[in-house]
Amino acid sequence: MKTRFAPSLTGYLHQGHLVNAIWTWGLAQAMGGEVIIRVEDHDQSRARPEFLEALEKDLQWLGFWDLASEIQVQSQRNHFYQEAFEALQEDVYPCQCSRKDIQLFLEKHPEESSDTELRYPNLCRDNHNPLEKKETAYRLRLPHGERTFNDLILGPQSQNPWEQCGDFILKDKQGHWSYQFACVVDDFESGITNVIRGTDLLESTGRQLFLHEKLGNANPPIFAHHHLLKDSSGRKLSKRQKDFAIAQWREEGKDPKLVLGEIAFGMGLIPSKDAVDPASLGEFFTSYKP
Ligand code: GLU
């Protein structure tokens, strides 16, 4: 069993990340597996060096850094993405549509839209003569049809990427690899057997399974999507909410084990806010023991 903790480098670590860290190390310990830390800084327009510095300090302070079997940083892994991108060439096409172009098209053709996200109606699929010089994104041709998988936590799932998102982006107009693409290339290349993440990413799984298949991964990971923590007013804790930055607690000199205890209590794992050791999280997840 090999899994990963994969925070995006678009902000500071917050409580929602700790919920994911507790699930990730908890399941890995219960299942006798290992965890790699993967810093997702594929979006270089949003990643900032101070986020990386704070992430490392936060994870060291909490004790997760030393529990990881490897640390990966996406911006140092360009060659893997480039190689995979070239392998997919037959199924990739250039696209110069702007968000506005897509919105205008969908206003005129509402039957092409999706309820959950801005669906790309595959406008450039058959355009073999993209304008030269204009900045170009690259999309992957999707087939029609459903993807099914058995989520370790949520049970059987079925998704239809064609209807949800349409042909999705592998590389954007600025030349950045997309989350979907970099994530799948990394999971495949690193031999990840289990992906453990929040339900906010559930909708990505069908399209990621399709990408695994396209890249020739005969053993795609098993997926587990856990619930997200809500604040006292019932709002989901967003990954960009600065008010919950872990760095703040670290700088205030809080006990990191009590911070983990507070989160574990919020998740319903313990009856009171006691200290929790990151090396003993497996005991909360014994029902997942193989
Ligand atoms: N980087 C993503 C996030 O922080 C998680 C990616 C994943 O687990 O697939 O939301």
Side-chain angles (χ1 to χ4, degrees):
M1 190 274 193
K2 187 174 184 185
T3 185
R4 76 301 193 277
F5 175 65
S8 296
L9 211 61
T10 51
Y12 293 101
L13 208 69
H14 67 94
Q15 294 184 0
H17 289 109
L18 293 197
V19 173
N20 182 243
I22 289 176
W23 267 102
T24 304
W25 269 277
L27 281 184
Q29 288 164 14
M31 296 167 87
E34 64 176 284
V35 182
I36 63 177
I37 291 175
R38 181 167 83 216
V39 179
E40 298 211 327
D41 62 346
H42 57 93
D43 184 352
Q44 284 290 312
S45 59
R46 283 163 63 205
R48 300 216 306 253
E50 61 266 36
F51 294 152
L52 182 57
E53 212 176 293
L55 178 78
E56 183 173 342
K57 276 192 193 155
D58 288 345
L59 292 176
Q60 267 170 352
W61 176 68
L62 290 160
F64 289 119
W65 193 265
D66 289 338
L67 290 176
S69 59
E70 190 188 336
I71 313 284
Q72 293 180 348
V73 181
Q74 285 188 324
S75 55
Q76 295 165 5
R77 297 171 55 80
N78 194 45
H79 52 290
F80 289 118
Y81 313 130
Q82 187 57 39
E83 203 179 298
F85 186 67
E86 280 161 24
L88 292 172
Q89 275 318 298
E90 276 185 17
D91 294 299
V92 169
Y93 64 87
C95 167
Q96 297 175 338
C97 294
S98 65
R99 201 177 165 83
K100 189 96 207 142
D101 295 333
I102 301 171
Q103 280 163 339
L104 285 174
F105 181 90
L106 292 175
E107 269 169 34
K108 289 195 201 123
H109 304 271
E111 72 286 357
E112 292 269 356
S113 56
S114 133
D115 298 336
T116 47
E117 60 194 289
L118 187 72
R119 175 179 181 270
Y120 181 63
N122 304 344
L123 301 174
C124 293
R125 245 187 186 216
D126 302 314
N127 176 7
H128 300 292
N129 299 305
L131 299 170
E132 271 185 44
K133 295 210 177 89
K134 223 180 140 190
E135 286 168 334
T136 295
Y138 292 88
R139 294 183 183 269
L140 183 72
R141 265 173 232 279
L142 277 178
H144 282 273
E146 308 243 309
R147 297 271 128 185
T148 56
F149 59 97
N150 201 2
D151 191 285
L152 195 66
I153 298 168
L154 305 175
Q157 303 290 314
S158 169
Q159 296 180 358
N160 190 327
W162 173 277
E163 287 175 4
Q164 289 169 277
C165 58
D167 293 344
F168 61 87
I169 289 185
L170 302 185
K171 196 180 194 179
D172 72 15
K173 287 185 185 168
Q174 286 73 46
H176 302 140
W177 304 110
S178 69
Y179 154 65
Q180 306 291 354
F181 181 61
C183 171
V184 170
V185 172
D186 283 336
D187 286 342
F188 184 18
E189 193 281 327
S190 308
I192 295 300
T193 62
N194 291 69
V195 169
I196 302 156
R197 60 188 177 198
T199 48
D200 53 338
L201 286 166
L202 179 60
E203 299 301 320
S204 292
T205 303
R207 65 201 79 163
Q208 292 191 357
L209 281 169
F210 172 66
L211 249 181
H212 275 289
E213 189 181 300
K214 272 283 155 200
L215 290 170
N217 187 357
N219 292 302
I222 294 166
F223 289 83
H225 292 90
H226 58 76
H227 293 293
L228 306 174
L229 202 65
K230 302 201 170 137
D231 68 10
S232 46
S233 59
R235 266 182 324 155
K236 279 181 197 157
L237 290 181
S238 139
K239 292 192 171 130
R240 290 185 207 139
Q241 262 170 265
K242 288 206 188 72
D243 41 346
F244 288 111
I246 301 300
Q248 214 168 305
W249 283 339
R250 172 168 52 77
E251 282 156 14
E252 283 168 10
K254 263 202 163 199
D255 177 347
K257 289 200 169 84
L258 285 178
V259 167
L260 284 183
E262 203 163 307
I263 307 288
F265 173 74
M267 291 164 71
L269 296 175
I270 45 175
S272 54
K273 296 180 180 178
D274 302 322
V276 162
D277 181 351
S280 314
L281 292 168
E283 67 195 47
F284 302 128
F285 297 92
T286 47
S287 60
Y288 292 94
K289 260 192 185 164

